């Protein structure tokens, strides 16, 4: 895949405007796409779209499914247009904050409405007419998405049971005894149908939004966390893809080793059984990518190093230092993906690691890596994270979902580093510091230039989206409609023309 010289903006769906407490797939998303179109921006980058949970701090990177969509993103006004809700059902709308997501309040408001919509859909399906047509569409969705049956049953069982995770379920359910699964499907049939209805609704609304994006000339950059959550339908339904024991419990979990100055990290995600996956033609991953490219045009592969080598920590050890490096699938994996799907448009998240074998694979398959100027030493001549030194085959960012905002980063810089930054970019104080770095990234040789809505708005650390290693207070920032400003769009449009993006 050869990328064209272009530009994009990161803003996760939850961060979009909307009157129901969270960004959704409705008119707030359309307003954002219109803003990108006016700005001559080519790409909209998002986080994973999967369901989030309170127990995982609402992280989209610890979802109960790598295939499903987040029910909280469903546009309720769209359900009114479908006839499954009445306008009066939505009233009164709680006094939600418009600059952040109050997840408990959003759940309390939206989930009962989704159940009401399902009940009316179910009644209409039994009654014939238009409801029969919609039921046929849902049947077609079930047929098209083989992951759906296991996901819906998993969520139904998790809703009904008291255990914290499926790993604690009784053995017949934990190890997927066919008779136990059949009994569970019958016992929880209504809840299973509800979960399927929600996923069908999400899928329809997302595809409609993708059409709007295409009309605005905007491609969607999705995100693929290399690992999935232990408490997920992915691990429960596909135990052969992971390093599990005979009772379907992990034998090793993912993390990173200690480095000078830190103790390493134990992420807790089960690691893959790459040998068995290779024997099966990486079938689970091929299915995952097929689903992904149904939802997005480009994909960022998180922790790309893990496809080359990965740090495996014994599941019964808490110390990251107890782990060991193991060989990943490497070139064979991407050759298989290319045979099955063609040359896929991947961006490789390669930050923080220097690994020749990783760089060779990226070069061979044409995957651009990432550069973030917040990693730069501004006083070091030729530092590779300074935008003026970016090579063509990278994606240059001003910030990412895991870093501070540019203004927050700049305010924390030592004075000497600030002076070196201003010297390097030729800043004379006439422009706000966030526009200095946006201009530098847009002017760089990087094939894709990316920024965030927070940086375009010049916001500080209070608007940071996520702080890795923390659980609370993340993923809740939102942009308001008023902040989708024509003046910002005009400045981006001018930069696109000046720097040929």
């Amino acid at each position: 895949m050869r990328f064209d010289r272009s530009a994009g903006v990161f803003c996760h769906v939850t961060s979009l405007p909307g009157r129901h407490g969270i960004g959704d797939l409705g008119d707030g998303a359309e307003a954002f796409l219109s803003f990108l179109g006016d700005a001559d921006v080519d790409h909209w980058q998002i986080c994973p779209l999967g369901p989030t949970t309170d127990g995982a701090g609402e992280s989209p990177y610890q979802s109960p499914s790598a295939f499903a969509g987040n029910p909280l993103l469903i546009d309720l006004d769209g359900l009114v247009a479908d006839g499954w809700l009445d306008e009066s059902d939505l009233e009164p709308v709680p006094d939600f904050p418009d600059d952040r997501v109050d997840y408990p309040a959003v759940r309390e408001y939206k989930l009962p409405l989704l159940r009401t919509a399902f009940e009316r859909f179910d009644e209409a399906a039994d009654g014939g007419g238009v409801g029969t047509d919609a039921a046929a569409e849902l049947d077609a969705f079930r047929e098209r998405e083989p992951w759906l049956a296991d996901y819906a049953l998993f969520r139904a069982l998790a809703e009904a049971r008291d255990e914290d995770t499926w790993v604690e379920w009784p053995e017949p359910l934990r190890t997927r005894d066919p008779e136990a699964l059949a009994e569970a499907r019958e016992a929880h049939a209504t809840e299973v149908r509800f979960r399927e209805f929600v996923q069908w609704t999400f899928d329809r609304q997302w595809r409609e939004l993708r059409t709007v994006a295409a009309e605005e000339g905007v491609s969607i950059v999705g995100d693929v966390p290399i690992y999935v959550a232990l408490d997920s339908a992915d691990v429960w339904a596909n135990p052969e893809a992971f390093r599990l024991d005979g009772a379907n419990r992990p034998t090793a979990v993912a993390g990173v080793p200690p480095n000078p100055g830190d103790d390493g990290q134990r992420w807790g995600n089960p690691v893959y059984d790459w040998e068995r996956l290779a024997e099966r033609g990486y079938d689970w991953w091929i299915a995952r990518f097929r689903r992904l490219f149904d939802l997005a045009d480009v994909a960022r592969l998180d922790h790309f190093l893990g496809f080359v080598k990965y740090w495996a920590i014994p599941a019964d050890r808490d110390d990251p230092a107890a782990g060991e490096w193991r060989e990943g699938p490497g070139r064979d994996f991407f050759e298989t993906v290319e045979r099955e799907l063609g040359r896929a448009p991947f961006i490789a998240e390669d930050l923080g690691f220097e690994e020749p074998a990783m760089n060779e694979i990226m070069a061979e398959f044409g995957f651009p890596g990432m550069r973030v100027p917040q990693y730069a030493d501004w006083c070091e001549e030729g530092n590779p994270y300074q935008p003026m030194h970016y090579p063509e085959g990278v994606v240059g960012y001003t910030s990412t979902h895991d870093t501070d905002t540019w203004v927050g980063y700049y305010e924390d810089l030592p004075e000497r580093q600030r002076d070196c930054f201003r010297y390097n970019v030729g800043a004379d104080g006439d422009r706000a510091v966030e526009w200095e770095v946006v201009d530098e990234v847009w002017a760089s040789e990087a094939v894709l230039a990316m920024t965030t809505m927070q940086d375009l708005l010049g916001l500080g650390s209070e608007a940071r989206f996520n702080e890795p290693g923390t659980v609370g207070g993340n993923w809740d920032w939102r942009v308001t409609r008023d902040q989708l400003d024509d003046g910002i769009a005009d400045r981006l449009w001018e930069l696109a023309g000046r720097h040929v993006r």
Side-chain angles (χ1 to χ4, degrees):
M1 169 70 186
R2 173 79 180 175
F3 290 89
D4 295 324
R5 184 174 170 85
S6 53
V9 174
F10 169 84
C11 187
H12 189 41
V13 183
T14 57
S15 296
L16 298 176
R19 69 188 185 104
H20 297 136
I22 189 171
D24 59 33
L25 308 183
D27 59 3
E30 293 187 14
F32 179 71
L33 286 168
S34 177
F35 165 83
L36 296 183
D38 291 344
D40 197 19
V41 165
D42 309 279
H43 306 288
W44 171 24
Q45 183 170 341
I46 57 176
C47 290
L49 289 167
T52 62
T53 65
D54 176 68
E58 307 301 343
S59 171
Y61 294 87
Q62 291 290 335
S63 175
S65 175
F67 293 78
N70 189 342
L72 299 182
L73 303 183
I74 288 174
D75 172 32
L76 297 178
D77 292 317
L79 290 175
V80 172
D82 289 335
W84 312 128
L85 290 177
D86 297 324
E87 191 68 50
S88 60
D89 293 324
L90 309 188
E91 302 296 338
V93 177
D95 187 20
F96 293 116
D98 61 2
D99 60 350
R100 66 180 182 86
V101 181
D102 181 342
Y103 283 96
V106 169
R107 274 197 178 82
E108 184 177 357
Y109 173 68
K110 292 192 80 167
L111 294 186
L113 291 170
L114 293 179
R115 290 191 180 275
T116 297
F118 164 68
E119 289 164 4
R120 292 179 184 163
F121 164 85
D122 225 20
E123 291 170 3
D126 288 341
V130 174
T132 304
D133 294 339
E137 291 182 23
L138 176 51
D139 285 341
F141 178 67
R142 288 189 186 102
E143 185 72 22
R144 190 177 79 234
E145 304 296 341
W147 55 270
L148 182 63
D150 279 323
Y151 168 78
L153 179 58
F154 175 83
R155 295 308 298 270
L157 285 168
E159 181 78 14
R161 301 197 61 84
D162 295 330
E163 297 90 348
D164 289 338
T165 71
W166 70 268
V167 180
E168 300 161 355
W169 289 353
E171 182 173 351
L173 291 175
R174 187 177 70 250
T175 59
R176 298 179 55 79
D177 175 76
E179 185 175 338
L181 294 186
E183 291 175 358
R185 287 190 191 281
E186 184 175 351
H188 303 288
T190 300
E191 182 70 14
V192 167
R193 290 201 312 277
F194 166 66
R195 299 288 175 170
E196 292 172 337
F197 167 80
V198 167
Q199 289 306 309
W200 170 63
T201 300
F202 176 91
D203 191 82
R204 287 188 302 120
Q205 291 191 354
W206 181 257
R207 289 173 189 274
E208 290 168 3
L209 191 64
R210 279 197 73 187
T211 299
V212 175
E215 290 170 352
E216 293 287 354
V218 175
S219 77
I220 295 173
V221 181
D223 201 314
V224 183
I226 185 171
Y227 295 114
V228 298
L230 171 60
D231 192 25
S232 66
D234 307 302
V235 183
W236 176 69
N238 305 277
E240 68 283 349
F242 302 88
R243 291 284 187 182
L244 308 181
D245 63 20
N248 280 6
R249 293 189 172 101
T251 60
V253 297
V256 289
N259 288 302
D262 69 61
D263 298 326
Q265 298 176 32
R266 183 187 187 278
W267 298 335
N269 308 77
V271 298
Y272 296 100
D273 188 335
W274 286 115
E275 292 80 7
R276 188 181 296 182
L277 279 166
E279 293 170 359
R280 299 163 59 99
Y282 304 105
D283 53 351
W284 182 84
W285 272 98
I286 297 298
R288 186 182 186 187
F289 285 149
R290 285 192 194 282
R291 174 63 174 162
L292 173 76
F293 288 118
D294 266 352
L295 303 175
D297 303 289
V298 180
R300 188 191 80 116
L301 297 181
D302 194 37
H303 192 61
F304 190 81
L305 178 68
F307 293 105
V308 179
K309 66 178 185 179
Y310 62 98
W311 190 250
I313 305 166
D316 59 357
R317 300 289 297 275
D318 293 329
D319 183 6
E324 64 178 5
W325 285 114
R326 296 181 184 174
E327 188 175 349
R331 179 176 287 100
D332 181 61
F333 175 76
F334 291 104
E335 287 175 346
T336 303
V337 171
E338 188 170 306
R339 282 196 302 272
E340 293 291 330
L341 304 178
R343 185 58 71 97
F346 289 133
I347 296 168
E349 190 278 292
D350 60 340
L351 298 170
F353 295 97
E354 282 297 327
E355 174 63 38
M358 176 179 71
N359 296 332
E360 289 171 9
I361 289 173
M362 290 167 57
E364 178 179 345
F365 290 91
F367 303 154
M370 290 173 56
R371 296 291 185 276
V372 181
Q374 294 187 31
Y375 287 64
D377 179 342
W378 294 101
C379 300
E380 178 187 27
E381 185 176 352
N383 184 278
Y385 289 101
Q386 296 174 6
M388 62 284 296
H389 302 303
Y390 291 172
E392 181 182 358
V394 300
V395 182
Y397 289 79
T398 62
S399 304
T400 74
H401 66 278
D402 275 342
T403 70
D404 204 344
T405 66
W406 178 260
V407 168
Y409 158 82
Y410 182 80
E411 289 176 346
D412 282 344
L413 271 181
E415 188 59 39
R416 182 168 181 271
Q417 285 287 318
R418 287 196 205 180
D419 289 344
C420 289
F421 165 75
R422 288 191 290 262
Y423 174 80
N424 273 307
V425 304
D428 56 12
D430 289 342
R431 285 193 302 187
V433 66
E434 63 272 13
W435 285 99
E436 295 285 3
V437 76
V438 170
D439 193 11
E440 284 298 312
V441 172
W442 258 239
S444 75
E445 293 298 313
V447 65
L448 305 184
M450 303 287 286
T451 188
T452 68
M453 275 308 305
Q454 292 97 316
D455 286 350
L456 292 175
L457 294 166
L459 301 179
S461 298
E462 76 284 350
R464 181 170 183 161
F465 199 44
N466 178 51
E467 186 170 353
T470 65
V471 176
N474 296 315
W475 317 109
D476 61 359
W477 180 82
R478 295 178 69 197
V479 63
T480 66
R481 276 185 184 269
D482 290 344
Q483 289 173 321
L484 299 177
D485 183 76
D486 289 344
I488 293 175
D490 289 345
R491 292 184 79 166
L492 283 173
W493 182 87
E494 187 273 331
L495 285 179
R498 177 148 50 93
H499 298 305
V500 195
R501 289 201 179 274

